[in-house]
Amino acid sequence: MKYLDALALAKLRRLSLHIKRPKVEGLLSGARMSALKGSSQEFAEYRAYAPGDDPRQLDWKVLARTDRYYIRERQAESMMAFYALLDGSGSMGYSSQGRERKWDYACRLGLAFAYLAMAAKDAAGIGVFGSRPTAFHPPRQDLEHLSRLDDLLARFEPEGIFPTGSFPSEAASRVAERSHVLFISDFIGDPEAFFKAVRALKLRRGVWAIQILDPAERDFDFSGPLLLESLEDRSTLSVEPAMLREEYRSALARLVRYYQAAFSDSQIRFGVYFTDEPWDRALSRFLGLA
Amino acid sequence: MWERPWALWALPLAFVPVLIHWLSRRSARRVPFGDLYLAREALSRARRASRWRDAALLAARIAAFLSLLLSCAGPSATAPGGTGRGNKPSESLSLLVWLDCSYSMRCLESGESRFELAKRAGREALAALRPGDRVAVATFSNRVDTPPAALRWRSREEAAAALASAKPGFSGTDFAAPLAAGDVFLSSAPGRRVELFLTDGAAHGFRGKLPPLGPEILRLGLRWPGKPNAFLARAVAESSPGEPGMRLRLEARGLDRPRNVKIWLGGRPVGRARVAPGSSWAEVALPEEASGLYSGRAVLDPDDLLIDDERWFSFKVSPRRRILCLYHDASFLRAPAGGYFLKRLCGAAEGPLIGYDCDFLDIASIEKAALPDYRAILLADWSTLPAQASERLARFVLAGGGVWIFPGQESGSEPDLGRLGELASADLGPLVAAEAKGVAAAPGFLSGEPGAFDLSRVSFSAYRLMTVKPGARVLLRSASGYPLECVGKAGTGAIAVSAFGLGSRWGNMALKPFFAPWLERSLKLMAPGPPRLRALGGPVGRSLEMAWESRVAAPQAALVTNPKGRSLKIWVRDRRANFDGTDRPGLYRVEDLPGGNDRVYAVNLDPTSGESELEPEPSPPWKTLSPESFRRDFDQAVRGRPLSGALLAFAALVLCLEMLLSLPRRSLPAKPFLALLFIAALMALPHGAAAQENDRFTITQWRIGDTWDPYPEVPGLILRDLDLTTSVLTSPGRRVVTLEDTDFFFSPLVILAGKDAPPPLGKEALAMLRDFLDAGGMLWIEDVSGLPESSFDRWVRMTLSSLRPGDPLTPIPLSNAVFKSFYLLRRPAGRVLVEPAILGLSRGRRWSVVYSRNDILGAWAVDPLGKPLYPCVPGGEQQRLEAKRLAINIILYALTGNYKSDAVHQPYLMRKMREGTLP
């Protein structure tokens, strides 16, 4: 695998994914507690026998002591679907000074989350949204699915503009309800459009959001007159970095503060990471382990 | 105006920033970037400010380049003058420097003479010269010391040496001669021609008619503001009828306030007087001098021009009046001729027997006689009277002298007296034989004479008939009643005519006892008045003419000793000698060689030159420059107002702006601007320390009463020594303040000197003085009277007791820091030792008032030649040295307090010594 090699997997074995979602209504049984009664070993409650109940559920010991028919109900355990949705726009392909591309960084994080989800006996799927047709792999629980996801991402090349307008409907049509979504993007663009797109996933889903930025996008430490060329629409902009640096940094700070406030109000966990930070440390920090 | 116009060719370089800006835009790198959303937003926010900032940056860079290039071209705001042939500052300069050596240049300005300040300005002018410039230096006073033919161009070093060697003289000022000579000299000079007058520009130098001045020469000159200057203009002696001694009358001019005049006679003080603006004459009685020679000096209270506050005088009083007897033949002086007896009576070497000294002179040598020296002339023995001699005698009579005409050995019936005869009281007629013995005196002529004279035994063999003119009084008549002697007025003088001569052939008149009283009474009628008083001396620069009377033996030579003690031998010819070396005022002593009589001549400044009047000429024929800002004014006048500095400053300012604009900030930083504004505000605030000349110390004197400034030059001397011996930064000059001046409170040390009591201080003044002392100020009081008791001392004690009722004046212990703040002193000192200790008023551990009664300041006083003015008694020069050191100590104490006593540095010194780190 390109992104989850043996070293990455070794790092991930020390981590675990704990998603606070007490009730899961998955069709497949898994490690998550289901809102339904089921056949797990966890006791739920007693109730009176009613016709139609499975006689195998009768508590024979209670019947023997009290001569009454009670059904011993057990907690059902279901499997949660985890989706890692990645921004596949052209800007994610940016890297400076030979560092890793934001896209690669996002892929590692997405696959790592997927691995951790599978390790927690959940199903994990991947979706990439960009100007190209959406690449999507529905959740599976087996680890072999992980290699397919890795192949999918490895073959994908980010380009174009992120479709903030069509993303909510398209994602909603593909992402099941009562699942958990992790959206990874650089979030550079109209912040309100981004926020609305992400918040739209929040309906009956748990949503996390991670912003990946290149250090050059943070520091804007260029020198000399530049002609900046956008990787999304190939437009150019003539700037004097020294004159613009402070204003750019202020704009970025305002953008990040906006996301932090908006996601926090919407109870969406949000984290900002830069590609000069090891991805596993970023992962640990996001999971609150570091 | 451009000094280096060729540099303007580099002006296109000012557009280098535009080129760089354009090239930088063209060479922008193409860099891929993720998303331009943030960059666009930042750009949209910064675009407006950025656009203005870009434009401002470009403008600032262009302006900086432009300013630098323009400053290289040497711009000047105004066209320089003196550009006869060209108007370009780049032309070479021909500078003629005139240094005024008149005595008004000795006037002090803040402790330094105008002459020294003028020389300093001259050095600055020389320093302003550039390679290729020419300079000539000449001096002048009331004449040009360097003749035009001797004027020449010099190197800068030679000119500086000529300036340095120049000394102020004692003459007046006349600008006409140097102006004319300068025009002649500069007429052939190349380049721009400038004439610089290092003078005080006083109006007295323009009394003469100025020559026409060429317009092609730039004339510059110094100018000081006018100031009142008191000086002694005249010293006149008069005899006191009925009293021994003389009365000396002194005229002071230019008085702005009452002043004292002290008179020394022969080196000892003999009195003082006071002159006031309303009555400028002072009169002092001089004690009788047995020698009849009264020589000395009178000194006015000093002001800024010291040299004319002193006047020397020398008067010779002859107890008897001098007469001259003209004779034709030497036999007239032998007995029994009357000349013999006349010489015995009033021409003998052992002294005259009557009240006249008579000199005898051959009538042929009458042109050598100084007739004004005589009160009467006896034309006693003569054959013919030359017309020239007659004319001189007539003028002598008309000027107030007396002439007594005796018939001589002339031939002819009626002697021809020429012009003198026209004035005579009688005409002499033919010779007739006497008729009988005896003469009769006119009533009252001999009355009151003790003893009786037998006039009947006087006989004449012959006499001339005499026609008495109207108005004449007949004194003697013959027995027959013919007039034998008469006297009458002629002009302001008198002429007596006798009908008989004094030769032996005329009769026995000279042999009778009647001869002496007759002679004395007749002379008295012709030469009345008091004993003759002769002033010896003259103005500086004029030769002294000396003459020896015929009745005494004339020396072969004389030794003249000038005021500096230098002696010069001069030869005496025909009883006369001239001395031309009167180059300074003072007393010139003349001693006969071989040994004989001494005489003293007083040489003084010439008050008629007006040199002592210090008012400046309102419209001098030159552009006036201020001595304080001479270099700047000179450069501006000669080179024009330079703009290079302003342009460089502007360039620096623009560069600072460029640096600020280049900072990667959205807006200009507020803090640096606020800091700059704060600094500017601090600089613009009234400078409190300005009264103390920034960080430099200057002496502050308290002006109160009339005697607050007994030694005007001493503060400058103290500051000079303070600067030389200590690390205290000093500012030349002194500050004179009153209690009402705010500068009083900005002075760490205020000196109050005096010998007479000033007016008492009021409550408000006492409160202000108390505030000054409480605020940390120190008052140094100096009683300069040198007396055990003085009114000033009483005033000081009364004032201090009012100031601090509970604190008495106590002696400052010798262990106090006052005695070791700089020098380690073991006793008080001063010009005198009136008080064995220095007194003081302490406030806490600090002496806020130091009171000395030993006249410490007087020990510093020097004359214009730098010699101590007063002896220090009883310790001499060692006491003077200690007094000077004590003055330094008091100033250091005022500035450092108990620093030495605290010994804060002692542990460090000890530690260094222990560690052996001392070299």
Side-chain angles (χ1 to χ4, degrees):
Chain A
M1 292 191 289
K2 176 182 179 183
Y3 296 113
L4 287 184
D5 52 9
L7 181 60
L9 290 173
K11 289 177 179 175
L12 289 173
R13 284 194 188 96
R14 294 182 283 110
L15 303 176
S16 59
L17 187 63
H18 297 280
I19 301 174
K20 281 189 177 179
R21 188 167 181 278
K23 307 297 182 194
V24 176
E25 292 185 4
L27 296 176
L28 302 176
S29 63
R32 307 276 166 186
M33 187 177 292
S34 172
L36 306 175
K37 303 298 185 292
S39 58
S40 69
Q41 296 300 315
E42 293 293 324
F43 170 77
E45 64 179 349
Y46 286 104
R47 69 173 173 84
Y49 175 77
D53 288 339
D54 187 355
R56 288 179 297 178
Q57 301 300 324
L58 282 173
D59 191 333
W60 294 104
K61 291 181 180 177
V62 173
L63 176 64
R65 278 203 304 272
T66 62
D67 199 20
R68 291 180 183 176
Y69 298 96
Y70 283 96
I71 295 296
R72 181 187 178 90
E73 290 192 330
R74 291 180 175 79
Q75 188 66 46
E77 288 183 345
S78 64
M79 183 179 64
M80 189 193 70
F82 181 88
Y83 294 89
L85 305 183
L86 273 62
D87 176 2
S89 66
S91 64
M92 289 297 285
Y94 177 68
S95 71
S96 66
Q97 299 182 2
R99 295 189 187 94
E100 195 171 34
R101 295 186 302 172
K102 290 190 288 183
W103 168 251
D104 296 329
Y105 199 86
C107 290
R108 286 185 199 282
L109 281 179
L111 286 172
F113 273 99
Y115 171 81
L116 292 178
M118 289 177 183
K121 296 182 179 177
D122 287 332
I126 287 283
V128 181
F129 294 83
S131 60
R132 298 169 70 178
T134 303
F136 195 85
H137 273 270
R140 297 285 187 274
Q141 196 183 14
D142 57 334
L143 287 176
E144 289 186 359
H145 183 60
L146 203 60
S147 64
R148 286 194 290 275
L149 298 180
D150 190 282
D151 288 342
L152 168 70
L153 298 179
R155 280 186 276 109
F156 192 89
E157 193 63 28
E159 64 175 359
I161 301 171
F162 182 76
T164 50
S166 60
F167 172 74
S169 57
E170 191 174 352
S173 65
R174 290 177 179 270
V175 176
E177 290 183 353
R178 302 183 187 280
S179 61
H180 198 90
V181 178
L182 169 66
F183 182 63
I184 302 176
S185 170
D186 57 5
F187 285 100
I188 295 180
D190 182 6
E192 291 187 3
F194 265 106
F195 174 66
K196 286 178 181 173
V198 175
R199 194 180 56 181
L201 298 173
K202 178 69 176 154
L203 187 63
R204 293 189 177 181
R205 298 180 189 92
V207 178
W208 291 346
I210 289 180
Q211 185 178 24
I212 305 296
L213 294 172
D214 189 90
E217 292 174 320
R218 173 191 60 196
D219 302 330
F220 206 69
D221 52 354
F222 302 103
S223 60
L226 295 179
L227 192 64
L228 297 178
E229 181 182 13
S230 171
L231 292 177
E232 293 194 345
D233 57 3
R234 296 298 167 185
S235 62
T236 57
L237 183 67
S238 178
V239 295
E240 179 68 43
M243 312 293 287
L244 201 63
R245 186 171 294 124
E246 290 303 316
E247 196 63 53
Y248 178 89
R249 289 175 178 173
S250 300
L252 176 63
R254 282 197 304 274
L255 184 76
V256 171
R257 280 200 301 272
Y258 174 82
Y259 287 131
Q260 287 173 336
F263 288 136
S264 174
D265 290 345
S266 302
Q267 296 182 336
I268 297 173
R269 187 189 292 185
F270 176 74
V272 184
Y273 304 100
F274 297 92
T275 57
D276 57 350
E277 182 180 11
W279 64 271
D280 55 325
R281 186 186 300 172
L283 178 63
S284 299
R285 286 206 295 130
F286 188 80
L287 295 176
L289 302 175
Chain B
M1 300 303 301
W2 305 98
E3 192 175 345
R4 292 176 290 277
W6 47 266
L8 295 175
W9 286 103
L11 275 185
L13 290 177
F15 296 97
V16 165
V18 179
L19 190 64
I20 293 174
H21 186 74
W22 183 67
L23 290 175
S24 66
R25 279 184 171 275
R26 283 180 60 86
S27 62
R29 283 185 296 130
R30 193 182 190 92
V31 174
F33 200 63
D35 194 302
L36 299 182
Y37 173 82
L38 286 176
R40 285 201 177 95
E41 184 185 343
L43 194 60
S44 68
R45 283 176 171 270
R47 186 178 297 279
R48 187 170 181 179
S50 175
R51 188 180 301 159
W52 281 108
R53 190 158 57 176
D54 283 350
L57 266 174
L58 195 59
R61 288 164 183 165
I62 292 175
F65 261 77
L66 203 58
S67 303
L68 290 173
L69 290 170
L70 289 177
S71 69
C72 289
S76 58
T78 55
T83 53
R85 300 194 176 97
N87 201 23
K88 299 175 182 175
S90 54
E91 272 191 336
S92 63
L93 195 70
S94 295
L95 174 65
L96 173 57
V97 180
W98 288 105
L99 179 59
D100 184 356
C101 294
S102 64
Y103 74 78
S104 67
M105 293 293 284
R106 296 170 180 264
C107 181
L108 297 177
E109 299 287 342
S110 301
E112 201 167 1
S113 72
R114 290 181 176 182
F115 191 76
E116 290 303 320
L117 293 172
K119 285 168 71 173
R120 185 184 303 165
R123 290 194 295 272
E124 291 179 358
L126 295 180
L129 295 180
R130 296 171 179 171
D133 292 345
R134 289 158 299 279
V135 62
V137 174
T139 58
F140 75 101
S141 51
N142 55 357
R143 59 185 176 85
V144 173
D145 299 332
T146 312
L151 273 176
R152 61 180 178 85
W153 299 116
R154 303 164 183 251
S155 66
R156 192 185 302 186
E157 291 73 21
E158 288 175 335
L163 276 180
S165 62
K167 292 181 179 175
F170 300 93
S171 305
T173 313
D174 185 2
F175 289 110
L179 281 168
D183 268 22
V184 172
F185 179 68
L186 288 175
S187 61
S188 59
R192 292 182 296 126
R193 288 164 281 178
V194 179
E195 197 172 10
L196 173 62
F197 286 85
L198 301 176
T199 174
D200 53 1
H204 54 246
F206 295 93
R207 294 187 173 181
K209 185 181 179 183
L210 294 183
L213 302 176
E216 67 278 2
I217 298 175
L218 171 63
R219 294 178 185 83
L220 306 172
L222 295 178
R223 176 179 178 168
W224 273 275
K227 61 168 67 175
N229 176 49
F231 62 98
L232 289 175
R234 276 198 292 177
V236 181
E238 294 176 352
S239 61
S240 309
E243 293 179 6
M246 304 293 297
R247 281 185 295 115
L248 181 67
R249 299 183 73 224
L250 296 158
E251 185 189 12
R253 295 181 191 166
L255 294 168
D256 58 333
R257 58 185 172 83
R259 289 172 185 267
N260 293 319
V261 186
K262 298 174 188 170
I263 294 94
W264 280 264
L265 184 64
R268 67 182 194 279
V270 294
R272 63 171 58 190
R274 193 165 178 81
V275 287
S279 57
S280 58
W281 282 92
E283 189 168 303
V284 176
L286 301 180
E288 184 177 16
E289 289 285 320
S291 64
L293 181 63
Y294 296 83
S295 61
R297 65 179 178 131
V299 180
L300 197 63
D301 279 349
D303 52 18
D304 285 340
L305 185 56
L306 298 173
I307 189 71
D308 61 358
D309 297 331
E310 195 173 40
R311 189 148 191 97
W312 307 87
F313 59 86
S314 180
F315 299 100
K316 177 70 176 176
V317 179
S318 299
R320 288 165 292 275
R321 287 147 286 192
R322 293 181 69 201
I323 60 175
L324 176 67
C325 179
L326 297 173
Y327 62 92
H328 168 67
D329 192 344
S331 62
F332 175 73
L333 301 177
R334 291 194 292 270
Y340 172 81
F341 298 103
L342 185 63
K343 194 168 185 178
R344 298 289 298 179
L345 285 172
C346 53
E350 61 270 21
L353 300 175
I354 63 175
Y356 293 91
D357 282 323
C358 187
D359 293 335
F360 293 85
L361 182 68
D362 189 342
I363 196 169
S365 304
I366 189 173
E367 72 276 3
K368 296 179 182 177
L371 298 187
D373 288 350
Y374 301 99
R375 302 296 299 272
I377 296 172
L378 273 61
L379 189 58
D381 176 47
W382 51 285
S383 58
T384 56
L385 186 63
Q388 191 176 359
S390 173
E391 186 66 29
R392 285 196 69 188
L393 291 172
R395 284 202 302 271
F396 173 73
V397 170
L398 293 174
V403 172
W404 195 351
I405 302 170
F406 291 92
Q409 300 172 0
E410 74 282 6
S411 59
S413 56
E414 296 178 3
D416 182 14
L417 291 170
R419 168 79 173 139
L420 184 63
E422 297 172 7
L423 302 175
S425 56
D427 293 330
L428 291 175
L431 191 69
V432 296
E435 64 275 27
K437 281 188 176 182
V439 294
F445 178 49
L446 294 176
S447 64
E449 193 66 32
F453 299 102
D454 187 4
L455 302 183
S456 62
R457 302 184 71 87
V458 177
S459 65
F460 295 102
S461 58
Y463 54 84
R464 282 189 178 274
L465 287 177
M466 191 166 66
T467 307
V468 179
K469 294 181 181 178
R473 179 187 174 194
V474 177
L475 302 177
L476 283 181
R477 292 181 183 275
S478 67
S480 306
Y482 285 102
L484 294 179
E485 184 186 1
C486 66
V487 63
K489 289 283 183 184
T492 56
I495 295 181
V497 180
S498 291
F500 52 90
L502 294 178
S504 56
R505 69 183 178 93
W506 290 91
N508 64 354
M509 183 74 164
L511 304 176
K512 296 300 178 187
F514 168 65
F515 183 68
W518 166 72
L519 200 61
E520 190 168 22
R521 290 300 178 95
S522 298
L523 285 171
K524 191 175 181 181
L525 289 174
M526 286 185 294
R532 186 171 178 278
L533 191 69
R534 247 191 333 153
L536 302 177
V540 169
R542 188 179 298 175
S543 65
L544 290 178
E545 293 182 356
M546 292 164 264
W548 280 261
E549 298 167 358
S550 59
R551 64 182 176 83
V552 297
Q556 293 179 348
L559 190 66
V560 182
T561 305
N562 73 359
K564 292 191 73 175
R566 293 182 181 174
S567 298
L568 182 70
K569 184 178 180 182
I570 56 174
W571 295 103
V572 178
R573 297 187 187 282
D574 294 335
R575 294 180 173 272
R576 295 186 171 276
N578 286 337
F579 177 69
D580 298 327
T582 56
D583 55 353
R584 63 183 61 246
L587 295 178
Y588 289 70
R589 190 168 300 278
V590 180
E591 180 185 0
D592 292 354
L593 291 178
N597 295 327
D598 287 352
R599 64 185 79 184
V600 176
Y601 290 83
V603 173
N604 285 292
L605 301 174
D606 184 8
T608 61
S609 66
E611 190 69 19
S612 295
E613 296 160 9
L614 301 179
E615 285 304 313
E617 170 65 24
S619 55
W622 53 66
K623 181 179 180 181
T624 56
L625 306 178
S626 169
E628 287 79 18
S629 56
F630 175 81
R631 178 62 188 270
R632 187 193 63 200
D633 293 352
F634 180 79
D635 281 341
Q636 286 184 11
V638 174
R639 318 274 185 200
R641 184 190 298 275
L643 293 180
S644 297
L647 284 172
L648 285 175
F650 178 71
L653 187 66
V654 167
L655 285 175
C656 289
L657 180 64
E658 195 268 350
M659 291 165 63
L660 287 174
L661 289 172
S662 301
L663 290 176
R665 292 175 184 273
R666 284 174 297 171
S667 56
L668 291 177
K671 287 184 180 176
F673 271 112
L674 288 177
L676 284 175
L677 281 176
F678 181 68
I679 292 170
L682 280 182
M683 293 175 70
L685 278 176
H687 221 281
Q692 195 44 44
E693 309 296 342
N694 295 320
D695 59 343
R696 292 178 178 272
F697 173 78
T698 190
I699 286 182
T700 304
Q701 284 182 266
W702 183 2
R703 182 206 293 267
I704 183 170
D706 294 333
T707 58
W708 63 273
D709 192 19
Y711 311 112
E713 74 284 1
V714 167
L717 300 175
I718 294 178
L719 285 175
R720 188 194 63 187
D721 274 25
L722 191 68
D723 190 56
L724 289 174
T725 55
T726 73
S727 60
V728 175
L729 299 177
T730 63
S731 176
R734 58 173 176 167
R735 185 184 310 121
V736 178
V737 297
T738 61
L739 259 180
E740 289 74 22
D741 293 337
T742 54
D743 281 359
F744 197 101
F745 288 84
F746 285 103
S747 306
L749 173 66
V750 174
I751 298 178
L752 170 62
K755 57 185 174 184
D756 297 330
L761 296 181
K763 285 184 179 179
E764 191 176 348
L766 281 173
M768 293 177 71
L769 183 58
R770 195 177 297 116
D771 289 345
F772 168 71
L773 298 176
D774 291 347
M778 181 172 158
L779 181 63
W780 171 10
I781 307 174
E782 194 65 49
D783 182 358
V784 301
S785 66
L787 302 172
E789 291 183 358
S790 71
S791 60
F792 182 76
D793 179 51
R794 288 191 292 275
W795 180 88
V796 168
R797 293 177 186 275
M798 182 189 69
T799 303
L800 292 182
S801 64
S802 304
L803 190 71
R804 297 267 176 76
D807 295 341
L809 274 171
T810 53
I812 299 176
L814 293 175
S815 59
N816 190 268
V818 172
F819 291 96
K820 55 186 179 183
S821 59
F822 190 77
Y823 294 106
L824 187 59
L825 301 177
R826 304 189 185 284
R827 54 184 168 270
R831 179 178 63 85
V832 292
L833 283 180
V834 174
E835 190 84 30
I838 293 183
L839 307 176
L841 270 185
S842 65
R843 175 174 174 74
R845 296 179 58 193
R846 184 176 72 88
W847 295 95
S848 57
V849 176
V850 173
Y851 177 34
S852 162
R853 300 210 57 233
N854 296 330
D855 192 11
I856 298 174
L857 299 178
W860 287 80
V862 294
D863 64 10
L865 301 175
K867 295 178 180 174
L869 206 53
Y870 306 104
C872 287
V873 289
E877 290 309 305
Q878 178 62 29
Q879 183 176 322
R880 186 188 309 282
L881 181 65
E882 290 175 357
K884 289 184 173 183
R885 290 178 169 180
L886 184 54
I888 299 290
N889 268 22
I890 292 174
I891 293 175
L892 265 294
Y893 178 76
L895 297 179
T896 62
N898 292 323
Y899 163 73
K900 275 291 178 68
S901 297
D902 293 342
V904 291
H905 49 285
Q906 187 175 355
Y908 302 100
L909 291 177
M910 297 298 289
R911 191 176 68 190
K912 288 175 74 175
M913 293 177 72
R914 280 197 303 271
E915 293 172 353
T917 54
L918 285 176

